[in-house]
């Protein structure tokens, strides 16, 4: 059993294979190779020459196109998968059935149903299933999560994210499935307990005729009257990576391209006075006051997020604890993606979410019928 | 008759009264006072002391709180109205019935129906009715209009505008009616012939409990598969004023807060090759190509837009031609605002537009009933 | 006597005339007209039509080209001069001889000797002589002054200012005399007690052949080993207005074109540990440590600086106290300008300053001969 | 003989050893390992464990602390040196005496005299001696060089570079020798034929008491009245990397931290009309006119500069041609650095340059005595 192998202590590195030598694979190779927690044994790709090229002429890591050999290798404790989403289910199931822990590039799977099968398999086998939602491990998102969870921001009012650039038009997925997983997983990771997405509306456009949306706007209604919104876009001439979060006490801006000042906290906002304090006659104006205080940008380290992903994966394998971005969290991301796709097909009509209880109650999830019913009254 | 007075030639300045000495009125006073085309006779406000304060101790312009006196003044040829939207109908009707040309601060009126009454009255009386959609007269928007109309941008793909800041929560209107008129009128003014908004979806949030939306996202479907989107927000800690326009040939970014480089044209984009040029096997990839060319920021003058509004108003009075932002254009803005409000009440369900023919056909606009029917099936 | 007229209390406004209706005059007119402390009686210019044009068709302020009439007017208590520097001496002397308080656009005079005559005349006559070093009255500079004087920045290490843009090539003065007065007066106003400029070196270039420097770099040695540097430039394609101040505790950046974040305080810097704390062997590395803490941008009001100049002038007239930018401070600016000019003529050889004692001792200033002697050994 | 080995054709990679596994060495290792032109055989460091650490656990490259073994290795054709400047002379001489081509991290050597010995040795031995002035190989500098050399900028008017950040205080060199080599080599590489530095003035400050300058300002007089200026600073709280170049036809700004728009060309500037075209009376004003045209930012590739350094090194070894940053160019950089240091010791008095003829005449360089004489009259 895998978990027994883990007991051997932190001294023995975890044997690892990377599957997929395409866009993201080389980053996994570099970071696993740089980690003292892992021994990188294999780089596997259906095109072996691509794996050889990625490793370069000076590497002792083995390249292969034979996944069976990798899965049969007893030295391999874990698999990191960086292949197209459509292949995640089969690859990850095979890996888990061979007793390997699994890290999967986002999104967890091509559908919510596939993702659910992976989560259930991991539960059954007692293996770590982690989704590589890399952005959740950036020092910026960790800082934001801390600021939101500690109450420094106050109640969440709005979350607005812009992730646009001249992007690669993907052959298999639209811009929503390509870019929004980042924003959804970030939102998921920073939401305080008790606040959750309730429904999704999405609008897309395919003005250049690729057969899939290249521009999309996604709106989520959250508990408590808050709103979240993402703009994802492959056709933007400039690259923008900003997330603005408004709260009852403070607001913050994360500009991921501003290295000198990635996260800025603003003591600025609009406050409502309780009605009894407002004068009778001039109530409407007295009602509202404005804070325009200082701005603070906390010092944030510049650690590569993927190195933290690798470390989290190691720690979860060693300890058995669920990761910040475990399978279940990957599943909530898929829920929102699927609902957004459905809304887009319905010209933007809001669609309620399956996963809105976030496991905080023992109640069974509402059936599709119940959801539809909620939808009509939402 | 007013039009006969106008014949007296460009030498005699047009007599003018400004009504409303609140937020915007002082700007009108300053610009009309600085124009050789006008003789500013009155500043009228229900609070005369406010009018006196705005004029200051060295002015020869008369202050009053008596509109009747102003309207009875034969020296006054035109009225500029800068009062709350709810008062526009009565004030403008009174002015036109007294034979005065009218310039009205945006929005034209509080409702589409009110706006229509003003347009019809202006037509009947042969008077100039102009809406002060100031942004349409900025050198930047004029340049953008020229770039779009001349075909330099190619077919319109998307229009994305962000107009957010820590704004004054208005006592009578929500953020949509406060800020979106700017974006809608800008969109209206730059759209090329044959492209028009078809339907609107809007999502709002009132997280601080003011009783009206403080954050709103508006999406418009345009003819030809293009999409327009506005983000308007009173709760943003930072001020952003950007509009991005993507086209088949070029894209452009207007950053109104970047004085050194307000408008930037990007020779960047995604192109689709005609299917026959793509190889049979690798069709999906060959299909798409990317342009990543130079960026150009045209020199743009720094003229105050309101000075151009004043000049346009004078010219329309002198010549009788409709202004760039005449009553009818103000009406189209009201149509979109009302549809957006309705969509917001319907949780974002898209609502079709009345004015989508933009006067290009003689067909009657659909009735409210027809609209409601379309709404439920959209 | 002027001072007796002042006793009449704050109720009676101070009678004022503006002299000079060129580039800066209209700003003085607007601000004095907007101040409750002043009654603006005259705008005087050698070209009366220019004064008429500046006032516009609705003003009750009198235009004239006859300074004698203005100076003879008993209603006029004070004169604000915005004419070329070469005329300051004669105009200000005439005004003071007529018993008027004087505000002079920077620089105080065309030469140090002229400036000294003005200071002496003001002392003799008991009149307010104030120099309109406008930037010293911006909320940003006031905040910076407070931060430096309160010790929050620690000991001053360096002051680096960049003031460049495509500027008007002046017919009578070079870029040094045109732009550096701003930087010098700002430096003067923020320097803490005990720190002062000791010598100046300046390098200029006239690459387009105008007969005067269009680009200049000025370096000041300050007491305590600190250094100040200004880059002033009429040929820069972009406008830059930044001042960076490094101190032993904190550093700050003032970016005057960044409205959202004009002043930023950085808890960043290099610290030296006392030698005894450093290990014997690894002394060189242990010696130095780095702070990379948070960044704070204090909320700063957006008040127009010239309105504060006007208020300060009124208050100094009412109370008799010297202004923040009194004649003596204007004189120190002239001292540095003249030394910089001399250094430029000497290809950048450093030139010591006359005024380096800043009035803190009763010692006579060194003679020109002594200065020359110091120069050769500096 | 080395040159004979080179004849073996492009097929056989060039055997290479990197010496120095400190700050820069790992970058050399990564780039040489990634180049098809080289076979990376050794990483040598006096601390072998550091070399082992840099290579990591998966590398087949050999680590050593024995330079003699490396130099005796017949497979090694070339050496890349990334050690402190004080060791460059001995290491490079040893390498060249062993018949190896040499690439040296900037600066070429610790003194001009040392650098000259290296250049002479390389000439004598017929080996490639190249200085790793990396910035000269960035796409941005190559583009700028092309723009200047092609005449698009016109005559050079000024060059102003700011290279500041919270930097590591070096144990052996001051900020001038640490950072200015970048700016000097960039200036050298873009200067058009016939324009060269004539003299240098430098001002430094050591406000924190490290025993060496931490802030420095360097001014160069160039032929034709142009001026160059560098600000280098280890104490700046923010990182700035800008170079502005003004010319008679256009100006350009290189902002190396602005990924979206590194190089911007401005059709902005000040023009002088020939005197005969200016009217007699208003000559001073008519003299000058202003261009304020468009701004263009050319598309520039994002290739890593060090990869181009590696390629240039390979090509020079293969063909025997001198590199863009050959030993002689490294020598000119040392000349300016030494003159700047001398000027700094003289409180900023300008110092003439040895290398100002740039090999364009056969005249002997002025002797030190002549230089001192010029210095006193400059």
């Amino acid at each position: 059993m895998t978990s027994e192998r883990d007991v051997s202590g932190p001294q023995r590195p975890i044997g690892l294979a990377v599957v997929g030598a395409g866009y993201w694979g080389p980053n996994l190779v570099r970071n696993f190779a740089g980690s003292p927690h892992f021994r990188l044994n294999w780089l596997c790709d259906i095109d072996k020459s691509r794996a050889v090229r990625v490793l370069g002429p000076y590497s002792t890591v083995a390249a292969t196109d034979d996944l069976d050999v990798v899965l049969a290798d007893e030295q391999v404790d874990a698999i990191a998968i960086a292949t197209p989403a459509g292949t995640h289910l089969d690859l990850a199931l095979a890996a888990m059935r061979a007793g390997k822990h699994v890290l999967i590039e986002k999104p967890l799977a091509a559908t919510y149903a596939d993702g659910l099968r992976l989560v259930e398999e991991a539960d059954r086998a007692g293996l770590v299933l982690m989704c590589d939602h890399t952005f959740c491990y950036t020092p910026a998102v960790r800082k934001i999560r801390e600021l939101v969870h500690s109450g420094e921001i106050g109640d969440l009012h709005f979350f607005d994210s812009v992730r646009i650039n001249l992007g690669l038009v993907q052959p298999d997925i639209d811009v929503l499935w390509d870019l929004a997983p980042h924003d959804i997983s970030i939102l998921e990771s920073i939401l305080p307990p008790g606040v959750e997405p309730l429904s999704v509306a999405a609008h897309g456009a395919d003005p250049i005729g690729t057969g899939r949306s290249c521009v999309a706007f996604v709106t989520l209604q959250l508990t408590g009257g808050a709103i979240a919104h993402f703009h994802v876009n492959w056709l933007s001439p400039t690259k923008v990576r900003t997330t603005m979060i408004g709260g009852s006490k403070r607001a913050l801006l994360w500009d991921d391209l501003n290295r000198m000042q990635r996260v800025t906290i603003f003591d600025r906002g609009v406050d409502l006075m309780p009605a009894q304090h407002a004068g009778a006659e001039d109530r409407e104006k007295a009602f509202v006051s404005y804070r325009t205080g200082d701005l603070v940008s906390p010092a944030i380290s510049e650690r590569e997020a993927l190195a933290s992903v690798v470390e989290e994966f190691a720690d979860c394998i060693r300890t058995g604890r669920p990761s910040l971005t475990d399978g279940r969290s990957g599943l909530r991301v898929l829920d929102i993606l699927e609902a957004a796709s459905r809304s887009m097909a319905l010209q933007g009509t809001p669609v309620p979410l399956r996963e809105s209880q976030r496991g905080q109650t023992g109640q069974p999830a509402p059936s599709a019928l119940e959801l539809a019913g909620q939808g009509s009254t939402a």
Side-chain angles (χ1 to χ4, degrees), chain A:
Chain A
M1 247 231 341
T2 308
S3 54
E4 282 176 17
R5 287 215 303 266
D6 294 341
V7 183
S8 59
Q11 282 73 22
R12 179 162 124 20
I14 301 161
L16 186 114
V18 171
V19 180
Y23 172 69
W24 194 242
N27 294 322
L28 290 174
V29 166
R30 181 169 47 78
N31 277 278
F32 277 110
S35 166
H37 302 298
F38 288 93
R39 174 73 209 170
L40 177 59
N41 295 310
W42 297 96
L43 173 56
C44 176
D45 195 279
I46 45 169
D47 177 356
K48 185 179 166 183
S49 70
R50 185 159 67 167
V52 168
R53 221 160 42 239
V54 163
L55 291 171
Y58 304 93
S59 178
T60 59
V61 175
T64 182
D65 55 7
D66 188 341
L67 183 64
D68 291 339
V69 170
V70 171
L71 295 183
D73 183 349
E74 294 240 326
Q75 297 299 315
V76 172
D77 305 298
I79 304 282
I81 297 172
T83 59
T87 67
H88 287 183
L89 178 69
D90 290 346
L91 290 174
L93 278 184
M96 289 192 282
R97 280 165 189 167
K100 317 298 190 191
H101 303 287
V102 173
L103 174 72
I104 305 185
E105 200 199 335
K106 63 90 198 165
L108 181 63
T111 66
Y112 181 85
D114 286 2
L116 192 57
R117 284 185 62 192
L118 292 179
V119 167
E120 288 168 353
E121 177 65 26
D123 284 353
R124 203 195 51 70
L127 290 164
V128 171
L129 173 64
M130 176 169 164
C131 193
D132 177 10
H133 287 304
T134 320
F135 275 105
C136 300
Y137 297 88
T138 55
V141 173
R142 286 170 169 244
K143 184 72 191 180
I144 294 169
R145 178 184 161 87
E146 178 194 318
L147 290 165
V148 174
H149 281 241
S150 70
E152 257 196 70
I153 299 302
D155 297 333
L156 187 74
H157 286 168
F158 66 92
F159 177 104
D160 180 64
S161 175
V162 179
R163 185 176 304 277
I164 66 179
N165 58 279
L166 198 64
L168 294 179
V169 174
Q170 300 291 317
D172 48 346
I173 52 173
D174 66 3
V175 72
L176 182 74
W177 282 76
D178 183 34
L179 297 182
H182 297 307
D183 301 295
I184 299 170
S185 61
I186 292 164
L187 177 67
E188 276 288 331
S189 91
I190 66 114
L191 278 185
V195 180
E196 53 186 346
L198 301 174
S199 68
V200 183
H203 303 267
D206 173 24
I208 59 172
T210 62
R212 61 197 70 90
S213 290
C214 296
V215 179
F217 301 98
V218 182
T219 309
L220 285 87
Q221 298 295 338
L222 308 178
T223 44
I227 194 167
H229 185 268
F230 317 137
H231 174 196
V232 287
N233 193 328
W234 282 335
L235 306 181
S236 165
T238 52
K239 185 173 180 176
V240 180
R241 293 282 182 275
T242 58
T243 299
M244 190 181 280
I245 298 176
S248 57
K249 290 192 189 155
R250 282 187 180 73
L252 68 81
L253 177 68
W254 169 31
D255 181 350
D256 202 42
L257 304 185
N258 184 350
R259 276 203 56 166
M260 309 293 287
Q261 193 175 333
R262 285 201 211 268
V263 174
T264 305
I265 305 162
F266 298 85
D267 183 15
R268 294 171 64 88
V270 180
D271 297 319
L272 279 200
M273 278 189 293
Q276 63 268 29
H277 294 157
E281 50 189 39
D282 203 20
R283 171 140 337 167
E284 293 245 286
K285 282 177 193 169
F287 218 37
V288 169
S289 72
Y290 300 88
R291 267 174 299 116
T292 57
D294 295 354
L295 158 178
V296 175
S297 178
I300 290 182
S301 70
E302 281 291 325
R303 195 181 192 214
E304 184 177 3
L306 198 45
S308 300
V309 168
V310 162
E311 202 163 278
E312 172 91 348
F313 190 41
D315 196 58
C316 292
I317 291 173
R318 303 281 198 210
T319 66
R321 69 165 174 84
S323 79
L324 176 64
T325 55
D326 65 359
R328 218 158 284 279
S329 121
L331 210 49
R332 288 195 296 272
V333 173
L334 289 173
D335 185 27
I336 294 175
L337 285 171
E338 282 198 353
S341 285
R342 249 179 300 151
S343 172
M344 219 184 266
L346 296 168
Q347 319 299 333
T349 304
V351 170
L353 291 168
R354 272 192 198 88
E355 291 270 339
S356 51
Q357 283 80 14
R358 297 178 84 194
Q360 284 160 13
T361 72
Q363 299 164 17
S367 71
L369 222 76
E370 286 169 318
L371 282 170
Q374 282 174 25
S376 69
T377 61

